[in-house]
Amino acid sequence: MATARKGRELFTILETSADTESTTVCDSQESPLNLSADVKWFEIPYRKPDSDEEEDGEGENGFTSTAAAAESADAASFIAGGGCNIILVTGSSNGITHDEEEYAEDCYYSTSTNCSDTTSNDSDIDFSDLEEEERRSFFSFEDDSDEDCTSPDFWGEPDQVISIEQFSAVSGPQHSLGDDADTRDYFRILFPDSLFEHMVEQTNKYALYRQRRSGKSDPHWHPTDVREIKAYVGLNILMGINQLPDTGMYWASDIFIGNAGFKKTMTARRFEKLTQYLQLCDRESEPVRGERGYDALFKIRHLLDVVENTMWDAYTPNRCLTIDKCAIVMKGRFSPTQYMPSKPLRKGLTVWMLCDSRTGYCHRAKIYVGKPSEDDEAVSLGHRVVTSLVRGLEGQYHHLFMDSFFTTVPLLQRLLRDGLYACGPTQPGRKGYPEVLRPGNVGKLSQGEFYQCQRGNLVATVTRDVKMVSCLSTNSAPGIVGISPGRQQHETDGESEGDSMNCSGLSFGVPRPLPLLLYQENMRGVDLCDQLRECYQVGRPCKKWWRYFLWFYVNLCIVNAYIILRESRGGAPPAGFNGKQFTQRHFRVRLAQQLIGDYQGARGMERAARKRHADSPIEYGHRLERMSERSRRCRNCTNKGLRHESVFGCKICNVHLCRGGCFSEFHK
């Protein structure tokens, strides 16, 4: 361990390795904040030297230089000689044994205060005589709200005890469904029937609106109903499982391509008409850009209001949450569409999501609609996104994990005042980040080496893993490093791989400070949600931007409903399922089948009518008559692989037929 100083402030560079010998052991079975049981973590409390005589060898930049290597060695020998205690916690599979009687204190994360020996000299202030309320007020961040985070005196030494309140809120699925509930019941929690009724109402109104504007009626359109819209959504869900390059291929006559279930549910023309007139808003009352009350998301506003409330109420958030961005691929035109050349998805729509770190359940989503107004320019975009996503969680002591786009010192101060802890990487050039931890002042670090500064619960860290990483956190005590196990390695030619392997052949990676370990373990909620959502897409590409958000939220409700079912039933499948494991694919197929039900559109009804009236079609009103002025292909000849066109046909069956024997042959 080496030390670096600037003025009278002392900052510590912690260097650890996998073969560090532990002098004391923590007997707690719980790892910090969802850390895996096989992660080794060390606590190295900071300790100030007894004297400041070493300051004479300080370089101009405030850090120890190469010429002061002897001084660094003396500091390292001071700490190794008893200046710090190392606490080692390992899982049962890491092959390391230790004497558990040496340390009987509770771990730091089992209480709201740090687990340190009451007789240790890790801090210059003795808090043993302070009451609990005085401790909480002492470590609270309320007094720092008005202080400038860019002040030179803002950051201090990483030797303060941090205070983390225990999370005790009730979390998990919130519903009253019984054991006999099926997939449709769980989906109804998030996507209620009122949305289907709204879709029916607005679709019928939009069809009349389009026909009035064009000045002519659509002979192939008739009003839809709730059963048909549910079947339409069910077919779109099945299209994500059985993917074909073109929509019409599902109704192909080829037995190897066409789908009999699609043909039975509705005709291809009816599916196209529903796709053409599908609508979620009243187009006649839509405000124009520049008018008062203009809303960029007016076309899906009702959907957003309903789904955001249902997603929030159906599942109470757990302790660890993730905030991250997801992208939706788009081929249409929409002004907030972003071009990201460095991403795999270069052009798409941006949605910020708040997801559970363990299950991937999405609690809330916020759509990017362009640059903020002049009133909101004073606050950064990331700050506004995070505060809007966590609205309603104040004072519940959740732990938020976010990427470098959001993480800033003012934001973490705001969240800490609201009773929320946060952790995430940041850009070293942002406002409030310690000047001494910026790359130009830190210099080149070796792998696993890091600096830390502290201000109450707020801890700034810079380390080198594969590359330089800067991090801010309010839920991590300083001076704790961890080593995650690497892949299994074997000895070659009878020679050992090195000192970084234990007796079982399991190698350990680079030591990382606790904020990075927590980030690595919990920054996966949005990724889990995206993995479940991207497996089976819902809907087809089109030029209307709002359709992408419609199918995005339908798909998101399916993923959330699947997570609720899995959490509520403990992995047990619904009644009637005979498979070994109830996966998301089974959930989607079962949901689509229940949405479609026994619905049969025009094709199914005309086939049933043909079968009932095959003996005497004319008696039941079927007759050959002129269908239109334009000739179309004869249905009977098409079924036989021939191509003949006719202006005549059967209006009841709604097909064109030749004037010869095709009429009677078709009705048989």
Side-chain angles (χ1 to χ4, degrees):
M1 178 179 292
T3 56
R5 301 174 205 164
K6 187 173 184 179
R8 296 190 59 82
E9 297 180 352
L10 181 66
F11 302 94
T12 305
I13 304 177
L14 303 176
E15 299 176 355
T16 60
S17 60
D19 57 349
T20 306
E21 296 182 0
S22 60
T23 57
T24 56
V25 180
C26 178
D27 62 349
S28 175
Q29 299 295 329
E30 181 182 0
S31 300
L33 282 177
N34 291 350
L35 276 180
S36 302
D38 53 359
V39 175
K40 301 197 311 179
W41 59 279
F42 307 82
E43 181 178 3
I44 308 180
Y46 172 86
R47 181 173 178 179
K48 185 182 295 184
D50 295 337
S51 62
D52 295 336
E53 297 177 357
E54 294 87 345
E55 295 181 0
D56 298 336
E58 180 181 352
E60 296 180 358
N61 58 356
F63 296 100
T64 54
S65 59
T66 307
E71 175 193 350
S72 300
D74 294 340
S77 62
F78 166 78
I79 297 178
C84 68
N85 295 325
I86 299 179
I87 301 174
L88 170 63
V89 174
T90 61
S92 58
S93 61
N94 55 17
I96 299 178
T97 59
H98 45 71
D99 187 6
E100 298 183 356
E101 296 180 356
E102 295 182 4
Y103 189 80
E105 289 285 332
D106 291 334
C107 182
Y108 162 75
Y109 281 97
S110 62
T111 61
S112 61
T113 56
N114 199 348
C115 127
S116 57
D117 193 354
T118 55
T119 61
S120 65
N121 296 324
D122 297 340
S123 174
D124 296 333
I125 305 175
D126 184 13
F127 299 102
S128 59
D129 296 331
L130 291 176
E131 297 293 338
E132 183 178 358
E133 296 182 358
E134 295 176 349
R135 289 171 60 89
R136 186 179 295 111
S137 61
F138 183 88
F139 295 114
S140 65
F141 220 78
E142 297 177 356
D143 296 337
D144 299 333
S145 58
D146 299 331
E147 190 169 352
D148 186 10
C149 59
T150 60
S151 173
D153 300 331
F154 183 81
W155 293 98
E157 303 168 353
D159 60 348
Q160 306 172 35
V161 180
I162 70 171
S163 175
I164 298 181
E165 298 294 335
Q166 184 177 2
F167 176 78
S168 59
V170 178
S171 59
Q174 305 293 323
H175 60 81
S176 57
L177 298 178
D179 295 336
D180 57 343
D182 214 327
T183 55
R184 177 70 185 91
D185 302 316
Y186 288 97
F187 182 72
R188 188 183 289 112
I189 297 176
L190 300 162
F191 203 92
D193 291 339
S194 60
L195 280 178
F196 288 109
E197 297 172 358
H198 179 76
M199 293 170 64
V200 170
E201 178 184 0
Q202 298 302 329
T203 299
N204 291 331
K205 292 176 65 175
Y206 181 67
L208 296 176
Y209 169 77
R210 285 284 303 272
Q211 294 177 48
R212 285 198 304 268
R213 290 193 60 181
S214 62
K216 55 182 180 180
S217 61
D218 189 346
H220 302 293
W221 169 259
H222 58 84
T224 183
D225 55 14
V226 175
R227 288 189 62 200
E228 188 176 37
I229 287 295
K230 288 184 179 180
Y232 173 79
V233 174
L235 292 180
N236 278 277
I237 295 174
L238 292 176
M239 287 180 179
I241 299 174
N242 181 19
Q243 299 182 12
L244 293 177
D246 185 70
T247 306
M249 297 180 68
Y250 293 97
W251 285 269
S253 58
D254 192 331
I255 60 174
F256 297 104
I257 298 178
N259 191 302
F262 280 67
K263 299 177 183 178
K264 180 181 178 182
T265 303
M266 65 177 63
T267 62
R269 175 177 291 175
R270 183 59 179 173
F271 186 88
E272 293 174 359
K273 287 299 175 181
L274 289 174
T275 304
Q276 177 183 352
Y277 293 117
L278 183 65
Q279 193 61 242
L280 297 177
C281 69
D282 187 0
R283 292 296 302 274
E284 296 181 354
S285 61
E286 181 180 4
V288 184
R289 182 186 295 271
E291 291 184 358
R292 185 176 183 180
Y294 171 77
D295 184 6
L297 301 176
F298 176 81
K299 290 182 173 64
I300 56 172
R301 177 56 58 190
H302 182 78
L303 172 70
L304 296 179
D305 294 341
V306 174
V307 173
E308 286 183 359
N309 291 332
T310 56
M311 290 195 308
W312 186 259
D313 297 336
Y315 196 106
T316 305
N318 290 316
R319 176 177 63 176
C320 296
L321 303 172
T322 303
I323 298 177
D324 203 355
K325 176 180 68 174
C326 78
I328 306 174
V329 62
M330 179 184 173
K331 296 184 179 180
R333 291 185 178 181
F334 188 47
S335 56
T337 302
Q338 290 185 315
Y339 180 70
M340 302 164 286
S342 61
K343 300 290 184 180
L345 182 61
R346 296 190 176 184
K347 180 182 178 182
L349 304 172
T350 299
V351 180
W352 290 288
M353 303 171 66
L354 174 68
C355 296
D356 185 84
S357 298
R358 180 176 58 87
T359 63
Y361 181 91
C362 178
H363 297 282
R364 190 172 279 164
K366 183 177 178 60
I367 300 174
Y368 174 73
V369 292
K371 295 182 179 180
S373 60
E374 297 180 358
D375 299 336
D376 299 333
E377 287 183 353
V379 183
S380 65
L381 177 62
H383 190 283
R384 288 186 288 107
V385 169
V386 173
T387 53
S388 63
L389 288 176
V390 301
R391 186 178 64 255
L393 298 179
E394 294 83 357
Q396 300 183 22
Y397 308 114
H398 291 275
H399 294 253
L400 307 177
F401 297 88
M402 59 194 78
D403 63 7
S404 58
F405 178 79
F406 307 100
T407 310
T408 60
V409 173
L411 176 61
L412 266 64
Q413 288 180 283
R414 163 73 182 273
L415 294 175
L416 193 58
R417 292 197 302 270
D418 293 340
L420 297 171
Y421 304 103
C423 176
T426 187
Q427 300 296 332
R430 284 184 174 170
K431 175 183 177 181
Y433 193 77
E435 186 70 27
V436 293
L437 297 188
R438 297 188 177 183
N441 297 328
V442 172
K444 186 176 181 180
L445 300 178
S446 60
Q447 201 171 27
E449 188 179 12
F450 65 92
Y451 287 88
Q452 285 185 318
C453 300
Q454 187 177 3
R455 172 73 177 188
N457 267 42
L458 185 60
V459 177
T461 305
V462 59
T463 183
R464 180 177 180 83
D465 190 68
V466 178
K467 60 181 181 179
M468 294 290 291
V469 179
S470 301
C471 181
L472 291 172
S473 64
T474 57
N475 59 355
S476 307
I480 298 181
V481 297
I483 304 176
S484 300
R487 62 180 182 269
Q488 195 79 13
Q489 297 182 357
H490 303 280
E491 296 182 0
T492 57
D493 299 334
E495 297 179 358
S496 175
E497 294 291 339
D499 296 336
S500 62
M501 295 177 57
N502 56 24
C503 58
S504 63
L506 186 65
S507 66
F508 290 91
V510 178
R512 296 182 178 91
L514 182 58
L516 267 66
L517 285 176
L518 298 182
Y519 179 82
Q520 181 182 5
E521 289 290 326
N522 297 282
M523 189 61 187
R524 59 189 179 193
V526 177
D527 294 336
L528 289 175
C529 184
D530 284 344
Q531 289 174 8
L532 294 173
R533 185 176 54 84
E534 292 290 342
C535 287
Y536 308 100
Q537 290 290 342
V538 179
R540 308 291 297 188
C542 64
K543 294 184 178 180
K544 297 181 179 180
W545 63 266
W546 63 267
R547 296 278 181 91
Y548 291 92
F549 288 120
L550 167 63
W551 298 125
F552 169 79
Y553 276 99
V554 170
N555 205 354
L556 194 60
C557 289
I558 295 174
V559 171
N560 284 348
Y562 171 69
I563 294 174
I564 292 177
L565 181 145
R566 187 178 58 187
E567 293 287 311
S568 303
R569 305 179 67 92
F577 179 75
N578 299 323
K580 294 183 179 179
Q581 185 178 6
F582 190 73
T583 62
Q584 185 192 188
R585 175 172 57 86
H586 297 117
F587 181 90
R588 289 177 179 264
V589 172
R590 197 179 181 97
L591 173 62
Q593 292 174 347
Q594 293 177 5
L595 287 174
I596 297 172
D598 57 351
Y599 176 79
Q600 290 185 355
R603 177 64 59 83
M605 288 188 290
E606 43 178 76
R607 285 179 177 173
R610 261 190 257 130
K611 194 171 184 180
R612 290 196 304 268
H613 312 321
D615 295 337
S616 180
I618 299 178
E619 180 180 352
Y620 294 93
H622 295 260
R623 57 180 55 88
L624 186 66
E625 54 187 325
R626 181 179 289 272
M627 293 284 291
S628 62
E629 297 296 332
R630 182 182 177 182
S631 62
R632 296 185 181 275
R633 295 184 63 176
C634 172
R635 178 62 59 83
N636 188 61
C637 295
T638 302
N639 293 339
K640 295 188 296 184
L642 304 176
R643 182 180 180 87
H644 293 123
E645 295 186 355
S646 173
V647 295
F648 297 93
C650 178
K651 288 188 176 181
I652 294 181
C653 298
N654 194 25
V655 294
H656 284 250
L657 298 168
C658 296
R659 298 187 66 177
C662 288
F663 176 80
S664 58
E665 185 178 350
F666 176 79
H667 286 86
K668 288 181 181 180

